[in-house]
């Protein structure tokens, strides 16, 4: 495929807003416990992604970084084909020269649609709130890029402070990892609702299966998804599989089926927005110019 603009994503297309690929030789994944996480203790390539998409009826995906690595981000960008892979949420050093680094990666046109810092793993518990990262987060907004937030439930209050101090579009991964069956549920619900009060914040209905003690069932996941629908509305929620991490409890087709069930109460227009339209709009996928062979 030549370097041409991909064009609009069809309104009915299902876009997975959160999938991963990794080659552990090039991008180590030290967080994977070989015993506790055996289903994902291997490499995952585009062919594996394609098989999952076919099984779930998914039309395309946004790949999300798994390491603080410019090399990984560049590698993922090289996989964009305008079909299986539509864009990349990568990594840059938010305390560095963000504009220059994004430019070196080709920017939005090359498929870089957002940036993520692994705040839930950072030894600095409030890494995203540090003054040295504030200019970089502002620059993301100036460049039309979103900042994905991957946080532990107890860090959601920080996301509220971030939303108060920055106009950059923020996308909360995995609904902030709701603590199913925990005494922390009320705090998570309070903070999620407060975060949703900021109109430039969206959230991904993704990554919930491994958190659900009922093994990724619609009934088990309903309290979190219903709260998210009430707080954000269907115009600010994005469907994602969090594949292959979803394999830690259930699988991608099971999760996709549960998600569709949880959205049954929506109109067909609102359901299409959550399942793909919002990802296309927020990540501006129509502006991506795929360069990889299709």
């Amino acid at each position: 495929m030549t370097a041409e603009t991909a064009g609009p994503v069809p309104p009915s297309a299902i876009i997975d807003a959160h999938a991963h690929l990794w080659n552990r030789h090039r991008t180590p994944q030290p967080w994977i416990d070989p015993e506790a996480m055996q289903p994902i203790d291997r490499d995952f390539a585009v062919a594996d992604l394609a098989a999952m998409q076919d099984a779930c009826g998914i039309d395309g995906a946004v790949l999300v970084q798994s390491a603080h690595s410019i090399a990984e981000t560049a590698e993922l960008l090289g996989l964009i084909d305008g079909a299986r892979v539509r864009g990349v949420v990568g990594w840059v050093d938010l305390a560095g020269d963000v504009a220059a680094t994004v430019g070196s990666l080709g920017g939005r046109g090359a498929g870089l649609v957002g940036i993520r810092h692994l705040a839930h793993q950072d030894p600095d518990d409030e890494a995203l709130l540090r003054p040295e990262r504030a200019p970089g987060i502002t620059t993301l907004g100036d460049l039309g890029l979103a900042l994905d937030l991957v946080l532990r439930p107890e860090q959601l209050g920080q996301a509220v402070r971030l939303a108060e101090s920055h106009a950059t579009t923020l996308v909360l991964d995995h609904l902030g990892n709701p603590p199913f069956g925990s005494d922390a549920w009320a705090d998570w619900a309070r903070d999620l609702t407060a975060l949703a009060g900021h109109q430039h914040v969206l959230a991904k209905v993704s990554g919930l299966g491994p958190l659900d003690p009922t093994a990724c069932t619609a009934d088990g996941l309903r309290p979190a998804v219903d709260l998210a629908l009430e707080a954000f509305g269907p115009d600010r929620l994005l469907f994602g599989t969090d594949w292959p991490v979803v394999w830690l409890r259930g699988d991608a087709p099971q999760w996709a089926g549960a998600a569709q069930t949880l959205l049954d109460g929506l109109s067909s227009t609102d359901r299409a927005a959550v399942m793909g339209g919002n990802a296309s709009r927020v990540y501006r996928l129509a502006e991506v110019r795929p360069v990889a062979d299709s």
Side-chain angles (χ1 to χ4, degrees):
M1 181 175 291
T2 58
E4 299 175 351
T5 302
V9 178
S12 61
I14 296 179
I15 302 297
D16 179 356
H18 201 102
H20 301 285
L21 298 176
W22 57 68
N23 179 299
R24 293 168 301 168
H25 176 70
R26 295 192 296 271
T27 308
Q29 304 294 324
W31 59 277
I32 297 177
D33 182 330
E35 294 185 6
M37 301 180 176
Q38 188 276 330
I40 64 171
D41 185 27
R42 66 176 183 86
D43 296 340
F44 290 91
V46 171
D48 302 302
L49 176 70
M52 181 276 288
Q53 290 174 332
D54 290 343
C56 296
I58 291 171
D59 297 295
V62 174
L63 297 181
V64 179
Q65 58 85 231
S66 61
H68 290 171
S69 165
I70 294 293
E72 183 207 29
T73 296
E75 181 177 351
L76 295 177
L77 288 170
L79 300 175
I80 292 175
D81 60 6
R84 298 292 190 181
V85 181
R86 305 292 182 99
V88 168
V89 173
W91 178 84
V92 301
D93 182 0
L94 292 172
D97 189 337
V98 170
T101 307
V102 168
S104 72
L105 290 165
R108 170 171 298 285
L112 188 65
V113 300
I115 296 298
R116 187 171 80 154
H117 180 88
L118 300 175
H120 67 315
Q121 298 176 357
D122 198 304
D124 179 355
D125 195 52
E126 296 191 342
L128 291 175
L129 297 178
R130 298 307 176 199
E132 61 269 24
R133 290 190 172 92
I137 294 172
T138 297
T139 297
L140 292 184
D142 294 341
L143 296 172
L145 300 177
L147 176 64
D148 265 41
L149 304 175
V150 54
L151 303 167
R152 302 188 305 276
E154 63 270 22
Q155 292 177 303
L156 270 184
Q158 298 177 35
V160 176
R161 292 158 60 190
L162 197 65
E164 291 170 346
S165 58
H166 290 279
T168 298
T169 297
L170 305 177
V171 181
L172 179 67
D173 294 348
H174 318 324
L175 298 185
N177 290 293
F180 291 95
S182 165
D183 292 340
W185 182 269
D187 291 340
W188 166 81
R190 177 200 64 212
D191 291 340
L192 187 79
T193 301
L195 186 59
H198 298 273
Q199 294 301 305
H200 61 297
V201 181
L202 300 94
K204 292 181 183 179
V205 183
S206 63
L208 303 182
L211 305 173
D212 174 25
T214 67
C216 194
T217 66
D219 287 344
L221 298 168
R222 189 174 299 281
V225 176
D226 281 356
L227 178 63
L229 282 167
E230 179 181 355
F232 286 94
D235 59 331
R236 288 193 289 139
L237 292 177
L238 289 68
F239 164 76
T241 61
D242 195 25
W243 178 88
V245 182
V246 67
W247 278 359
L248 294 180
R249 187 181 291 269
D251 57 28
Q254 181 182 358
W255 159 241
Q260 292 277 15
T261 298
L262 291 164
L263 300 177
D264 274 349
L266 301 181
S267 69
S268 59
T269 299
D270 286 345
R271 189 164 56 250
V274 176
M275 296 300 295
N278 294 338
S280 178
R281 170 177 55 86
V282 171
Y283 287 134
R284 294 162 60 177
L285 298 182
E287 299 176 22
V288 174
R289 298 188 304 273
V291 297
D293 291 336
S294 60

